[in-house]
Each structure stands twice: as structure tokens, then as C-alpha cells.
Amino acid sequence: MRRAVVQKALWGAAVLVLVSGCSSGDTGRGPRTAPPASVSSSARPSASPSSSAAGRVSVAGTLTEGLKSPWGLAELPGGDLLVSSRDERTITRVDGRTGAKTPLGEVPGVVPGGEGGLLGLAVRDGWVYAYLTAASDNRVVRMRYGGGAGDRLGPPEPVLTGIPKGFVHNGGRIAFGPDGMLYAGTGETGRTGLAQDRSSLGGKILRMTPEGRPAPGNPFPGSVVYSYGHRNVQGLAWDPEGRLWAAEFGQNTWDELNLVEPGRNYGWPEAEGRAGRAGFVDPVAQWPTSEASPSGIAYARGAIWMAGLRGERLWRVPLSGAERSGEPEAFLKGEYGRLRTVLAAGGDRLWLVTSETDTRGTPGSGDDRILRLEVR
């Protein structure tokens, strides 16, 4: 059920915590400001989502609520969902029709802290893959899972280790691409130089086989690095033509949506947002950090849908092939608080996960929740 405007206003009055742009990008609720005067008209979000006749989204209902620090979301064969708790280190199965929750247990070896913990999830061939923060690094593991409501997760097996960890900028999104390879978005942990260092796994998008080896056709021989020059990637999605899109936290100025191509340099820390500099790829869309701080993304009905944490809204970016076909539009602004993960559910449906219990929100009754969205 949507939050009452009065309730939101009361929370806002009680919690006068103003968070300016910080190095993590994944900030708490800060003052909501207009785009800087330097924003060009082509970069501004549209003034009103209702101005477009196409590409609307509505909340069809709440699937489940009472989740604590939810982060990753993956769909099982048959339509049920798995959701990870970043701070509680657990994975929960959620019935895709009734919303009933079944705990599957705690994942051993997770060491939560700051933006680290149990993060992204992916499912393939009887395995549950997880991106997690361990004592010494970030890593990808996989666990056997039979898929039944009463089944338990098997012990984690390492897939890829040695991803740099930090209090901030741990990345964490994983997903299987249409090529059957596993992709992971990582962060540079606040050590900006890692993003340009191709020998480091920090500040990258990685591409690997399901067993964790460098995928065939990767741009750098013997390496899982697929693209570099990233600050903190937490959104990965593919369009119907197999193009990879990624959402990325900026620092103080611009958040980004990028079209990702193998071997390309996306600029950080030399460039934030559109730089127009040789050797760097400019984003397809960009936002002031106060209006986005993006995490998960999904493709549906001709557009990328991007969840905003600090921005507390769901962005729609219409696409025509590899180009943006219109101005980004904002939906659900301030209605459900911080938004963490969005997942395509087939056809005109999306799942959306809120993120009010991540220590940077203002949780209310029922937080956090998974919402059913309809796109039309």
C-alpha cells in the first residue's frame, strides 16, 4: 500500500538529516535540489512523467513486506523469487503469487559493513550465485539449491575471488547474459586508481564462465575484465538485441547510464558524466546525483528502468537501438522511499525492491517491500 503523504511529511520533519554528495554516491536522503545551472537541456529530466502518452508505470500491488536490508533479487523457474539481505546475510524465497516468505538460511563467510555484505543474486542450472563481501575481499560464490520451498542452500563454492572490498563502492550486481556468461559489476572501493588499472578487478564490469574462468572472447586475454574506468556499478541489463547496459554512481555531479562495449574505458576518475574526451565512452544518459544514485536496472517495453536510492524514484530511459530516443522520465517520486533493485518479470511486468532499512533510509511500517509494477 502506498505511503500516505502526511506520513512521509511527518518523517521528513522528524529526520532533518541533510546529506551532501559524498564519495560513495549511495548516500542517504539529502536535500532535493534542482539540476545545476550548467545542465544542458538535453541532459535535463522531463518536467512531468504524465506528459508522455507512452511508457507509463503503475504499482499493481505489494508482493511482500517486512524485508530487512534487501539487495539482490533473482527469479526462480516457476516465478518465485529469491531476495538477499545485505546485513543479515540471509537468502529468502518469496512466493511469486502470495508473497509468502521461506527463509533458506544464512550464507557463511559474509562480513557485512558499510555498503558491503550479501549483495547480488543470480540463478542458473540448479545453482544460486551470490556476490558477497568476505573478510578479505569481495567474491562471487555459488550454492546448490533444489528449488523446492523446503530446500536448503548448499555450502558456498568460490567462483571468483580477489575483488577489492571497501566500506564503500563494492559494486555487487551479478547477472547472466544472453550469451550464458556471468557478468559482475564492481566498485573501486574509494581507491579511484583501481578503475583505470586493468590488472585490478575493482571499478570494472567482469565477464566469466559459470565456473569463474575468463569468458571466451573477452577483450583482454586471460582476464575476466570486460570494461573498465567505472566508479561503482550496481545495475546490469540487456536489451532484446543483446546490448549490455549499466548504471553507475557518480561522485558529486553526475550519475550515469552506459551502453557497455568490450574493452572500452568509461572514464573514471578522469571523467564523470559526459566529457567528450578521446579514449573515454560518454554515458547515454546522466543525472544529478541528488536525483538518482542508481542501483538496479531492467529492460522492459522499449526502455531501461532504473531504481534510484537517494533520488527515491524510478527512471525510464526510452531507447531506439543503441541510442536514447527521448528524455528520461521519473515515476514514483518519493512514494516508496529509496529504491534498490528492479527486475524484469516478463511482458509488461517489473519487480521493484525498496531500500529503507539499509541504514540510510527512514523506515516506516512494512519496510522493506517488493512491489509489483505494470508498464504500459
Side-chain angles (χ1 to χ4, degrees), residues 18 39 68 110 138 155 157 175 178 195 205 244 258 319 325 373:
L18 301 182
V39 181
K68 303 305 178 186
V110 180
N138 285 305
E157 300 179 6
I205 293 176
L244 173 60
N258 286 297
L319 301 176
S325 62
L373 305 185

Side-chain angles (χ1 to χ4, degrees), residues 131-146:
Y131 186 114
L132 59 85
T133 306
S136 60
D137 60 1
N138 285 305
R139 56 182 56 190
V140 179
V141 303
R142 64 180 184 176
M143 297 158 281
R144 277 291 183 191
Y145 179 58

Side-chain angles (χ1 to χ4, degrees), residues 26 64-73 82-92 94 101 118-121 173 234 295 309 338-341 352-359 366-370:
D26 183 358
T64 197
E65 57 185 23
L67 300 170
K68 303 305 178 186
S69 62
W71 210 102
L73 190 70
L82 298 181
V83 58
S84 65
S85 169
R86 184 192 69 184
D87 298 337
E88 297 191 343
R89 302 171 288 187
T90 57
I91 295 178
T92 299
V94 180
K101 300 191 291 277
L118 184 57
L119 304 176
L121 298 177
R173 194 70 60 185
Q234 289 189 7
S295 190
L309 288 163
R338 293 162 59 82
L339 305 179
R340 171 67 68 181
T341 297
L352 180 64
V353 181
T354 67
S355 191
E356 286 290 277
T357 59
D358 66 350
T359 74
D367 283 328
D368 271 305
R369 60 200 76 206
I370 301 175

Side-chain angles (χ1 to χ4, degrees), residues 204-255:
K204 309 293 189 297
I205 293 176
L206 311 177
R207 177 175 177 263
M208 67 199 85
T209 68
E211 296 74 32
R213 295 188 293 271
N218 274 6
F220 308 113
S223 173
V224 294
V225 172
Y226 189 69
S227 62
Y228 65 106
H230 298 287
R231 184 171 181 270
N232 192 19
V233 176
Q234 289 189 7
L236 299 172
W238 288 263
D239 64 27
E241 285 71 46
R243 287 178 285 257
L244 173 60
W245 300 85
E248 182 167 346
F249 287 94
Q251 184 168 17
N252 295 315
T253 310
W254 297 117
D255 294 322

